[in-house]
Amino acid sequence: MSVQPNENTAAATAGTVSSMMGLMSSVKEKWDSSGGNEVLGRVSASIPQGTKDYIGSASQNLFNRQHLRSITVFFGMGEERPFYIEKAPSLLVARLKHNVKFFYLNYMIVFAILFVLTMITSFSTMIGLVCLGAAWLYVIKASDEGTLRAGAIQISQKTATIGMSVISAVVLFWLLSHIFWWTLGSGGFLCTAHAGLRDASMHQDEDDRVDMSGDLTLDATTENAAFLNPVEGSAAVDKV
């Protein structure tokens, strides 16, 4: 008896994935045929080049894979004391700031995983997405000749697409709002707990590193300096 809901959920998930794949293909074809790419091109051309360069640079830096920490670093595997409660308020604030900056990309992945897992395990959400996908397929097929008939009213394909987009936004907000808030709450709790307990002070961020370049040239005097050769230097002092 307990297996039936799982089977229904799995079937709904598979049906949703199949419907969404077909929907995406159909929408892409309609988008290309309706001149959507030309509209986006004109909008993109109206944006100043400096703004586009700034947005591109910020996005590239934000999603830089070098800022993604490994599982070993994220959980402090192999470290002597990776997690402990910091009682000093000033040190706790410094830890939170460092960890949010150091693990921010990992935290974003945690939120994304929680959102996807919550969505695919919600039976009502899957049913709603299937119905929304079916509605899109109906509109696309019904307006295949350029117009959509609703009784005696004829609606152009562009108007029908815009109308379905507005309806889809409202439906998605209604379907995913509880998932969004649950993900925000649970993900925020987990990430805040990790940032507050994880002692990652031994790991330096990119901004803390100092790049050194140049050649190190040594003459006869500096080669025997005490800080370069402590053993030989100490021996020389003993002889004197």
Side-chain angles (χ1 to χ4, degrees):
M1 295 297 294
S2 60
V3 180
Q4 189 65 26
N6 295 332
E7 294 178 352
N8 293 336
T9 303
T13 303
T16 301
V17 173
S18 175
S19 300
M20 293 302 293
M21 292 294 293
L23 175 62
M24 291 174 61
S25 178
S26 301
V27 170
K28 184 178 183 302
E29 294 177 359
K30 294 298 181 181
W31 176 266
D32 295 337
S33 62
S34 62
N37 291 330
E38 298 178 1
V39 175
L40 289 180
R42 289 195 295 268
V43 173
S44 177
S46 64
I47 301 175
Q49 186 62 37
T51 303
K52 291 191 289 187
D53 293 341
Y54 175 78
I55 295 176
S57 176
S59 300
Q60 184 178 5
N61 185 52
L62 179 65
F63 298 103
N64 189 350
R65 289 189 61 184
Q66 293 182 355
H67 296 166
L68 181 63
R69 313 307 172 187
S70 64
I71 298 296
T72 302
V73 175
F74 188 71
F75 290 105
M77 298 178 181
E79 299 180 17
E80 182 178 356
R81 198 181 179 190
F83 294 92
Y84 69 90
I85 299 176
E86 180 58 65
K87 298 180 180 180
S90 59
L91 296 179
L92 179 60
V93 172
R95 174 187 290 184
L96 288 171
K97 290 181 178 179
H98 177 268
N99 285 345
V100 169
K101 184 179 180 181
F102 190 71
F103 294 112
Y104 77 91
L105 202 54
N106 296 77
Y107 294 154
M108 292 175 65
I109 293 178
V110 170
F111 277 101
I113 293 175
L114 287 175
F115 183 84
V116 173
L117 289 178
T118 307
M119 184 178 64
I120 64 177
T121 54
S122 175
F123 182 74
S124 59
T125 301
M126 291 292 101
I127 294 298
L129 292 177
V130 169
C131 295
L132 182 61
W136 265 105
L137 290 176
Y138 171 77
V139 171
I140 291 173
K141 292 182 178 180
S143 62
D144 191 32
E145 297 180 357
T147 58
L148 173 65
R149 286 183 173 274
I153 303 175
Q154 290 186 352
I155 304 174
S156 65
Q157 185 182 64
K158 182 177 180 180
T159 304
T161 302
I162 295 174
M164 274 300 301
S165 299
V166 174
I167 295 174
S168 298
V170 175
V171 172
L172 288 176
F173 177 80
W174 178 72
L175 288 175
L176 303 179
S177 59
H178 68 286
I179 295 178
F180 171 79
W181 290 115
W182 190 92
T183 302
L184 185 64
S186 58
F189 173 78
L190 292 176
C191 293
T192 302
H194 179 274
L197 296 175
R198 176 74 171 97
D199 179 23
S201 57
M202 64 178 297
H203 300 283
Q204 291 183 340
D205 201 356
E206 297 294 334
D207 296 335
D208 301 328
R209 297 179 183 176
V210 178
D211 295 331
M212 302 181 65
S213 61
D215 297 331
L216 177 63
T217 56
L218 301 175
D219 53 20
T221 303
T222 57
E223 284 182 355
N224 294 323
F227 70 94
L228 293 177
N229 300 286
V231 177
E232 295 180 0
S234 59
V237 172
D238 295 337
K239 290 181 180 179
V240 174

